[in-house]
Amino acid sequence: PFRNKKAPTKNPWPGLLPMFYYLPKTLEKRADIVISGQTPPGFMGTHLTTVRMIPVAHTNHPLNRLKQSLSDQDLQQHRQIVVRDSGVKRNQDTGWLGAEQRLTVSHFAQSIQAIRSGLGFAFIPLHFVEEFIDNGEFKRLKLAVNGDREVPIYLTLSTADREGLAVKAMQENLLLAFK
């Protein structure tokens, strides 16, 4: 019943695609500008913003029918929707990954679509799901311990010593967009 609804298009930073390039691309110098949740060793990063990740599920999901605050054991019994690490090495897990069943997707839009279809729960950036919470389609899961996670987002230049005019202009525009 939820399949024909579109994933969110709301972007808190107009003009900037909600896409992140990950650390191995920086280390291999395959990207001039990298936006990531961490700065790799040997590089200088500039803090852009902090993203709040929150636990959510569709309003009709069984986790939202439980009366008590949810424990790890409650979450473990339900499918968790996880966004795949897009880095080359893909060996870093972050956040809570304790569910016995996982559905791995490529990006947050797919994660939101899976939640809308009732396939599980996920930890998603608040700004991606606010409209769904506000309209009652999603509910924030009430965990026994605070499940929110603050993720700092950094801008890193992999070629700071030889950056061109386009890279400098893009860096300046990104810094202005996040002020």
Side-chain angles (χ1 to χ4, degrees), residues 95-122:
W96 188 87
L97 297 171
E100 292 179 20
Q101 287 186 26
R102 286 192 213 145
L103 172 61
T104 303
V105 297
S106 297
H107 49 79
F108 286 115
Q110 289 176 330
S111 182
I112 290 167
Q113 197 61 42
I115 292 170
R116 294 181 94 182
S117 298
L119 296 177
F121 73 94

PDB file of all heavy atoms in Angstrom, residues 95-122:
ATOM      1  N   GLY A  95      27.426   3.262  14.008  1.00  0.00           N
ATOM      2  CA  GLY A  95      26.071   3.232  14.520  1.00  0.00           C
ATOM      3  C   GLY A  95      25.692   1.849  15.029  1.00  0.00           C
ATOM      4  O   GLY A  95      26.498   0.933  15.061  1.00  0.00           O
ATOM      5  N   TRP A  96      24.436   1.722  15.413  1.00  0.00           N
ATOM      6  CA  TRP A  96      23.924   0.469  15.969  1.00  0.00           C
ATOM      7  C   TRP A  96      23.611  -0.487  14.822  1.00  0.00           C
ATOM      8  O   TRP A  96      22.861  -0.158  13.911  1.00  0.00           O
ATOM      9  CB  TRP A  96      22.672   0.744  16.792  1.00  0.00           C
ATOM     10  CG  TRP A  96      22.191  -0.445  17.564  1.00  0.00           C
ATOM     11  CD1 TRP A  96      22.603  -0.820  18.798  1.00  0.00           C
ATOM     12  CD2 TRP A  96      21.214  -1.403  17.172  1.00  0.00           C
ATOM     13  NE1 TRP A  96      21.944  -1.970  19.201  1.00  0.00           N
ATOM     14  CE2 TRP A  96      21.081  -2.347  18.205  1.00  0.00           C
ATOM     15  CE3 TRP A  96      20.437  -1.579  16.037  1.00  0.00           C
ATOM     16  CZ2 TRP A  96      20.211  -3.421  18.157  1.00  0.00           C
ATOM     17  CZ3 TRP A  96      19.563  -2.658  15.978  1.00  0.00           C
ATOM     18  CH2 TRP A  96      19.462  -3.558  17.036  1.00  0.00           C
ATOM     19  N   LEU A  97      24.193  -1.672  14.833  1.00  0.00           N
ATOM     20  CA  LEU A  97      23.958  -2.680  13.799  1.00  0.00           C
ATOM     21  C   LEU A  97      23.646  -4.017  14.440  1.00  0.00           C
ATOM     22  O   LEU A  97      24.168  -5.051  14.046  1.00  0.00           O
ATOM     23  CB  LEU A  97      25.196  -2.808  12.897  1.00  0.00           C
ATOM     24  CG  LEU A  97      25.572  -1.568  12.089  1.00  0.00           C
ATOM     25  CD1 LEU A  97      26.923  -1.748  11.419  1.00  0.00           C
ATOM     26  CD2 LEU A  97      24.505  -1.268  11.054  1.00  0.00           C
ATOM     27  N   GLY A  98      22.761  -4.027  15.429  1.00  0.00           N
ATOM     28  CA  GLY A  98      22.526  -5.227  16.211  1.00  0.00           C
ATOM     29  C   GLY A  98      21.382  -6.115  15.761  1.00  0.00           C
ATOM     30  O   GLY A  98      21.173  -7.171  16.339  1.00  0.00           O
ATOM     31  N   ALA A  99      20.630  -5.711  14.746  1.00  0.00           N
ATOM     32  CA  ALA A  99      19.488  -6.523  14.320  1.00  0.00           C
ATOM     33  C   ALA A  99      19.956  -7.815  13.657  1.00  0.00           C
ATOM     34  O   ALA A  99      20.967  -7.834  12.959  1.00  0.00           O
ATOM     35  CB  ALA A  99      18.605  -5.739  13.359  1.00  0.00           C
ATOM     36  N   GLU A 100      19.200  -8.886  13.891  1.00  0.00           N
ATOM     37  CA  GLU A 100      19.524 -10.167  13.272  1.00  0.00           C
ATOM     38  C   GLU A 100      19.286 -10.134  11.767  1.00  0.00           C
ATOM     39  O   GLU A 100      19.985 -10.779  11.007  1.00  0.00           O
ATOM     40  CB  GLU A 100      18.708 -11.281  13.923  1.00  0.00           C
ATOM     41  CG  GLU A 100      19.132 -11.534  15.359  1.00  0.00           C
ATOM     42  CD  GLU A 100      18.301 -12.621  16.025  1.00  0.00           C
ATOM     43  OE1 GLU A 100      17.679 -13.430  15.327  1.00  0.00           O
ATOM     44  OE2 GLU A 100      18.295 -12.640  17.262  1.00  0.00           O
ATOM     45  N   GLN A 101      18.272  -9.371  11.332  1.00  0.00           N
ATOM     46  CA  GLN A 101      17.987  -9.223   9.908  1.00  0.00           C
ATOM     47  C   GLN A 101      18.311  -7.801   9.483  1.00  0.00           C
ATOM     48  O   GLN A 101      17.946  -6.847  10.162  1.00  0.00           O
ATOM     49  CB  GLN A 101      16.506  -9.457   9.621  1.00  0.00           C
ATOM     50  CG  GLN A 101      16.056 -10.864   9.712  1.00  0.00           C
ATOM     51  CD  GLN A 101      14.593 -10.960   9.250  1.00  0.00           C
ATOM     52  OE1 GLN A 101      14.107 -10.147   8.468  1.00  0.00           O
ATOM     53  NE2 GLN A 101      13.903 -11.952   9.762  1.00  0.00           N
ATOM     54  N   ARG A 102      18.988  -7.692   8.337  1.00  0.00           N
ATOM     55  CA  ARG A 102      19.290  -6.376   7.788  1.00  0.00           C
ATOM     56  C   ARG A 102      18.913  -6.324   6.322  1.00  0.00           C
ATOM     57  O   ARG A 102      19.098  -7.295   5.599  1.00  0.00           O
ATOM     58  CB  ARG A 102      20.782  -6.056   7.902  1.00  0.00           C
ATOM     59  CG  ARG A 102      21.220  -5.719   9.281  1.00  0.00           C
ATOM     60  CD  ARG A 102      22.616  -5.134   9.261  1.00  0.00           C
ATOM     61  NE  ARG A 102      23.280  -5.526  10.486  1.00  0.00           N
ATOM     62  CZ  ARG A 102      24.542  -5.804  10.592  1.00  0.00           C
ATOM     63  NH1 ARG A 102      25.329  -5.733   9.550  1.00  0.00           N
ATOM     64  NH2 ARG A 102      25.050  -6.156  11.744  1.00  0.00           N
ATOM     65  N   LEU A 103      18.432  -5.177   5.914  1.00  0.00           N
ATOM     66  CA  LEU A 103      18.227  -4.877   4.506  1.00  0.00           C
ATOM     67  C   LEU A 103      19.213  -3.760   4.194  1.00  0.00           C
ATOM     68  O   LEU A 103      19.115  -2.671   4.764  1.00  0.00           O
ATOM     69  CB  LEU A 103      16.785  -4.426   4.244  1.00  0.00           C
ATOM     70  CG  LEU A 103      16.480  -3.889   2.848  1.00  0.00           C
ATOM     71  CD1 LEU A 103      16.732  -4.958   1.792  1.00  0.00           C
ATOM     72  CD2 LEU A 103      15.050  -3.381   2.782  1.00  0.00           C
ATOM     73  N   THR A 104      20.164  -4.032   3.317  1.00  0.00           N
ATOM     74  CA  THR A 104      21.190  -3.045   2.988  1.00  0.00           C
ATOM     75  C   THR A 104      20.814  -2.350   1.691  1.00  0.00           C
ATOM     76  O   THR A 104      20.521  -3.007   0.684  1.00  0.00           O
ATOM     77  CB  THR A 104      22.571  -3.720   2.861  1.00  0.00           C
ATOM     78  OG1 THR A 104      22.858  -4.397   4.090  1.00  0.00           O
ATOM     79  CG2 THR A 104      23.660  -2.696   2.590  1.00  0.00           C
ATOM     80  N   VAL A 105      20.820  -1.018   1.730  1.00  0.00           N
ATOM     81  CA  VAL A 105      20.468  -0.199   0.571  1.00  0.00           C
ATOM     82  C   VAL A 105      21.637   0.722   0.246  1.00  0.00           C
ATOM     83  O   VAL A 105      22.584   0.852   1.025  1.00  0.00           O
ATOM     84  CB  VAL A 105      19.178   0.609   0.831  1.00  0.00           C
ATOM     85  CG1 VAL A 105      17.995  -0.327   1.051  1.00  0.00           C
ATOM     86  CG2 VAL A 105      19.339   1.547   2.014  1.00  0.00           C
ATOM     87  N   SER A 106      21.560   1.379  -0.897  1.00  0.00           N
ATOM     88  CA  SER A 106      22.676   2.208  -1.362  1.00  0.00           C
ATOM     89  C   SER A 106      22.638   3.649  -0.873  1.00  0.00           C
ATOM     90  O   SER A 106      23.672   4.294  -0.808  1.00  0.00           O
ATOM     91  CB  SER A 106      22.715   2.218  -2.892  1.00  0.00           C
ATOM     92  OG  SER A 106      22.949   0.920  -3.371  1.00  0.00           O
ATOM     93  N   HIS A 107      21.454   4.166  -0.574  1.00  0.00           N
ATOM     94  CA  HIS A 107      21.378   5.553  -0.112  1.00  0.00           C
ATOM     95  C   HIS A 107      20.115   5.765   0.721  1.00  0.00           C
ATOM     96  O   HIS A 107      19.232   4.905   0.763  1.00  0.00           O
ATOM     97  CB  HIS A 107      21.453   6.538  -1.279  1.00  0.00           C
ATOM     98  CG  HIS A 107      20.537   6.223  -2.414  1.00  0.00           C
ATOM     99  ND1 HIS A 107      19.199   6.512  -2.410  1.00  0.00           N
ATOM    100  CD2 HIS A 107      20.779   5.608  -3.601  1.00  0.00           C
ATOM    101  CE1 HIS A 107      18.649   6.106  -3.531  1.00  0.00           C
ATOM    102  NE2 HIS A 107      19.583   5.550  -4.267  1.00  0.00           N
ATOM    103  N   PHE A 108      20.047   6.906   1.372  1.00  0.00           N
ATOM    104  CA  PHE A 108      18.951   7.177   2.301  1.00  0.00           C
ATOM    105  C   PHE A 108      17.582   7.216   1.623  1.00  0.00           C
ATOM    106  O   PHE A 108      16.582   6.857   2.243  1.00  0.00           O
ATOM    107  CB  PHE A 108      19.207   8.463   3.087  1.00  0.00           C
ATOM    108  CG  PHE A 108      20.249   8.312   4.146  1.00  0.00           C
ATOM    109  CD1 PHE A 108      21.441   9.006   4.078  1.00  0.00           C
ATOM    110  CD2 PHE A 108      20.047   7.463   5.224  1.00  0.00           C
ATOM    111  CE1 PHE A 108      22.409   8.860   5.064  1.00  0.00           C
ATOM    112  CE2 PHE A 108      21.002   7.305   6.209  1.00  0.00           C
ATOM    113  CZ  PHE A 108      22.182   8.008   6.123  1.00  0.00           C
ATOM    114  N   ALA A 109      17.499   7.635   0.374  1.00  0.00           N
ATOM    115  CA  ALA A 109      16.204   7.648  -0.312  1.00  0.00           C
ATOM    116  C   ALA A 109      15.633   6.232  -0.392  1.00  0.00           C
ATOM    117  O   ALA A 109      14.429   6.033  -0.206  1.00  0.00           O
ATOM    118  CB  ALA A 109      16.335   8.259  -1.708  1.00  0.00           C
ATOM    119  N   GLN A 110      16.493   5.248  -0.634  1.00  0.00           N
ATOM    120  CA  GLN A 110      16.028   3.855  -0.663  1.00  0.00           C
ATOM    121  C   GLN A 110      15.632   3.386   0.730  1.00  0.00           C
ATOM    122  O   GLN A 110      14.669   2.633   0.890  1.00  0.00           O
ATOM    123  CB  GLN A 110      17.118   2.938  -1.219  1.00  0.00           C
ATOM    124  CG  GLN A 110      17.360   3.114  -2.704  1.00  0.00           C
ATOM    125  CD  GLN A 110      18.509   2.252  -3.182  1.00  0.00           C
ATOM    126  OE1 GLN A 110      19.446   1.964  -2.452  1.00  0.00           O
ATOM    127  NE2 GLN A 110      18.437   1.846  -4.445  1.00  0.00           N
ATOM    128  N   SER A 111      16.358   3.824   1.731  1.00  0.00           N
ATOM    129  CA  SER A 111      16.033   3.477   3.107  1.00  0.00           C
ATOM    130  C   SER A 111      14.656   4.016   3.475  1.00  0.00           C
ATOM    131  O   SER A 111      13.829   3.314   4.064  1.00  0.00           O
ATOM    132  CB  SER A 111      17.113   4.039   4.042  1.00  0.00           C
ATOM    133  OG  SER A 111      16.865   3.687   5.367  1.00  0.00           O
ATOM    134  N   ILE A 112      14.388   5.244   3.107  1.00  0.00           N
ATOM    135  CA  ILE A 112      13.090   5.863   3.393  1.00  0.00           C
ATOM    136  C   ILE A 112      11.980   5.125   2.650  1.00  0.00           C
ATOM    137  O   ILE A 112      10.914   4.865   3.210  1.00  0.00           O
ATOM    138  CB  ILE A 112      13.129   7.364   3.055  1.00  0.00           C
ATOM    139  CG1 ILE A 112      14.020   8.073   4.086  1.00  0.00           C
ATOM    140  CG2 ILE A 112      11.731   7.968   3.012  1.00  0.00           C
ATOM    141  CD1 ILE A 112      14.401   9.476   3.717  1.00  0.00           C
ATOM    142  N   GLN A 113      12.239   4.748   1.411  1.00  0.00           N
ATOM    143  CA  GLN A 113      11.236   4.009   0.642  1.00  0.00           C
ATOM    144  C   GLN A 113      10.950   2.657   1.298  1.00  0.00           C
ATOM    145  O   GLN A 113       9.802   2.218   1.362  1.00  0.00           O
ATOM    146  CB  GLN A 113      11.714   3.817  -0.803  1.00  0.00           C
ATOM    147  CG  GLN A 113      10.612   3.441  -1.751  1.00  0.00           C
ATOM    148  CD  GLN A 113       9.524   4.498  -1.830  1.00  0.00           C
ATOM    149  OE1 GLN A 113       9.780   5.687  -1.875  1.00  0.00           O
ATOM    150  NE2 GLN A 113       8.278   4.069  -1.852  1.00  0.00           N
ATOM    151  N   ALA A 114      11.981   1.998   1.811  1.00  0.00           N
ATOM    152  CA  ALA A 114      11.796   0.709   2.497  1.00  0.00           C
ATOM    153  C   ALA A 114      10.967   0.891   3.769  1.00  0.00           C
ATOM    154  O   ALA A 114      10.102   0.064   4.078  1.00  0.00           O
ATOM    155  CB  ALA A 114      13.149   0.088   2.814  1.00  0.00           C
ATOM    156  N   ILE A 115      11.211   1.970   4.507  1.00  0.00           N
ATOM    157  CA  ILE A 115      10.413   2.245   5.712  1.00  0.00           C
ATOM    158  C   ILE A 115       8.960   2.509   5.316  1.00  0.00           C
ATOM    159  O   ILE A 115       8.030   1.994   5.940  1.00  0.00           O
ATOM    160  CB  ILE A 115      10.986   3.438   6.505  1.00  0.00           C
ATOM    161  CG1 ILE A 115      12.338   3.063   7.099  1.00  0.00           C
ATOM    162  CG2 ILE A 115      10.028   3.871   7.608  1.00  0.00           C
ATOM    163  CD1 ILE A 115      13.085   4.230   7.686  1.00  0.00           C
ATOM    164  N   ARG A 116       8.763   3.277   4.258  1.00  0.00           N
ATOM    165  CA  ARG A 116       7.401   3.575   3.789  1.00  0.00           C
ATOM    166  C   ARG A 116       6.666   2.303   3.383  1.00  0.00           C
ATOM    167  O   ARG A 116       5.446   2.226   3.470  1.00  0.00           O
ATOM    168  CB  ARG A 116       7.442   4.546   2.611  1.00  0.00           C
ATOM    169  CG  ARG A 116       7.967   5.921   3.015  1.00  0.00           C
ATOM    170  CD  ARG A 116       7.962   6.845   1.858  1.00  0.00           C
ATOM    171  NE  ARG A 116       6.689   7.594   1.917  1.00  0.00           N
ATOM    172  CZ  ARG A 116       6.337   8.475   1.015  1.00  0.00           C
ATOM    173  NH1 ARG A 116       7.079   8.714  -0.030  1.00  0.00           N
ATOM    174  NH2 ARG A 116       5.193   9.112   1.152  1.00  0.00           N
ATOM    175  N   SER A 117       7.415   1.297   2.948  1.00  0.00           N
ATOM    176  CA  SER A 117       6.825   0.013   2.557  1.00  0.00           C
ATOM    177  C   SER A 117       6.655  -0.927   3.738  1.00  0.00           C
ATOM    178  O   SER A 117       6.217  -2.058   3.569  1.00  0.00           O
ATOM    179  CB  SER A 117       7.701  -0.646   1.488  1.00  0.00           C
ATOM    180  OG  SER A 117       7.759   0.150   0.334  1.00  0.00           O
ATOM    181  N   GLY A 118       7.064  -0.468   4.930  1.00  0.00           N
ATOM    182  CA  GLY A 118       6.892  -1.275   6.134  1.00  0.00           C
ATOM    183  C   GLY A 118       7.912  -2.380   6.296  1.00  0.00           C
ATOM    184  O   GLY A 118       7.681  -3.344   7.027  1.00  0.00           O
ATOM    185  N   LEU A 119       9.070  -2.262   5.641  1.00  0.00           N
ATOM    186  CA  LEU A 119      10.062  -3.345   5.645  1.00  0.00           C
ATOM    187  C   LEU A 119      10.987  -3.362   6.858  1.00  0.00           C
ATOM    188  O   LEU A 119      11.745  -4.302   7.026  1.00  0.00           O
ATOM    189  CB  LEU A 119      10.899  -3.287   4.365  1.00  0.00           C
ATOM    190  CG  LEU A 119      10.131  -3.529   3.073  1.00  0.00           C
ATOM    191  CD1 LEU A 119      11.054  -3.370   1.875  1.00  0.00           C
ATOM    192  CD2 LEU A 119       9.471  -4.894   3.090  1.00  0.00           C
ATOM    193  N   GLY A 120      10.974  -2.321   7.678  1.00  0.00           N
ATOM    194  CA  GLY A 120      11.858  -2.313   8.836  1.00  0.00           C
ATOM    195  C   GLY A 120      11.990  -0.933   9.441  1.00  0.00           C
ATOM    196  O   GLY A 120      11.210  -0.031   9.161  1.00  0.00           O
ATOM    197  N   PHE A 121      13.028  -0.798  10.272  1.00  0.00           N
ATOM    198  CA  PHE A 121      13.331   0.481  10.923  1.00  0.00           C
ATOM    199  C   PHE A 121      14.733   0.893  10.516  1.00  0.00           C
ATOM    200  O   PHE A 121      15.513   0.086  10.014  1.00  0.00           O
ATOM    201  CB  PHE A 121      13.224   0.361  12.449  1.00  0.00           C
ATOM    202  CG  PHE A 121      14.351  -0.415  13.076  1.00  0.00           C
ATOM    203  CD1 PHE A 121      15.467   0.242  13.569  1.00  0.00           C
ATOM    204  CD2 PHE A 121      14.296  -1.809  13.160  1.00  0.00           C
ATOM    205  CE1 PHE A 121      16.509  -0.468  14.143  1.00  0.00           C
ATOM    206  CE2 PHE A 121      15.333  -2.518  13.734  1.00  0.00           C
ATOM    207  CZ  PHE A 121      16.451  -1.852  14.224  1.00  0.00           C
ATOM    208  N   ALA A 122      15.059   2.164  10.748  1.00  0.00           N
ATOM    209  CA  ALA A 122      16.388   2.650  10.385  1.00  0.00           C
ATOM    210  C   ALA A 122      16.747   3.871  11.216  1.00  0.00           C
ATOM    211  O   ALA A 122      15.889   4.513  11.820  1.00  0.00           O
ATOM    212  CB  ALA A 122      16.432   3.014   8.900  1.00  0.00           C
TER     213      ALA A 122
END
